């Protein structure tokens, strides 16, 4: 996963990102019967909410190779809840609470 932030001004105070882009190369969810499109929509909605409300460190592009700290999830979890849990794990990683490399 890659994250890119853009915005702010050159030479001025620390830029405030206007855009955060998250690229997920592949997400494999073995054992779940949830609709992938609904999981993706819930993931995007929840991650957007978390970034708007809590932000993320603005120190440039980074990648999160592994989601860590994701609790065991029941296979019958709804697409909405699965997307939310994944977004929370990604946000924690981007906030320095998960396994992140730069």
């Amino acid at each position: 996963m890659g994250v890119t932030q853009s915005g702010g001004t050159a030479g001025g105070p620390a830029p405030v990102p206007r855009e955060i882009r998250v690229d997920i190369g592949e997400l494999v969810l073995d054992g779940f019967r949830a609709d992938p499109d609904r999981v993706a929509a819930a993931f995007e909605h929840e991650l957007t909410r978390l970034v708007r409300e809590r932000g993320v460190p603005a120190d440039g592009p980074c990648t999160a190779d592994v989601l860590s700290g994701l609790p065991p999830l029941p296979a019958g979890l709804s697409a909405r809840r699965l997307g939310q849990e994944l977004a929370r794990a990604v946000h924690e990683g981007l906030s320095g609470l998960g396994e992140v490399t730069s």
Side-chain angles (χ1 to χ4, degrees), residues 3 5 15-22 46-60 62 87-97:
V3 178
Q5 301 182 38
V16 176
R18 291 181 291 153
E19 177 181 297
I20 297 175
R21 180 182 171 95
V22 177
E46 181 68 1
L47 187 56
T48 298
R49 182 188 73 78
L50 290 168
V51 169
R52 281 189 180 145
E53 288 180 10
R54 301 180 189 167
V56 292
D59 38 347
C62 67
R88 290 174 187 146
V90 168
H91 185 263
E92 285 182 4
L94 295 174
S95 299
L97 303 173

Side-chain angles (χ1 to χ4, degrees), residues 29 31-39 75-83:
L29 303 170
F32 292 93
R33 295 185 280 293
D35 176 355
D37 292 333
R38 292 184 68 199
V39 172
L77 210 57
S78 72
R80 179 175 169 259
R81 177 74 190 280
L82 183 55

Side-chain angles (χ1 to χ4, degrees), residues 59-86:
D59 38 347
C62 67
T63 61
D65 295 325
V66 177
L67 296 182
S68 62
L70 189 62
L73 301 170
L77 210 57
S78 72
R80 179 175 169 259
R81 177 74 190 280
L82 183 55
Q84 289 173 334
E85 293 298 327
L86 292 169

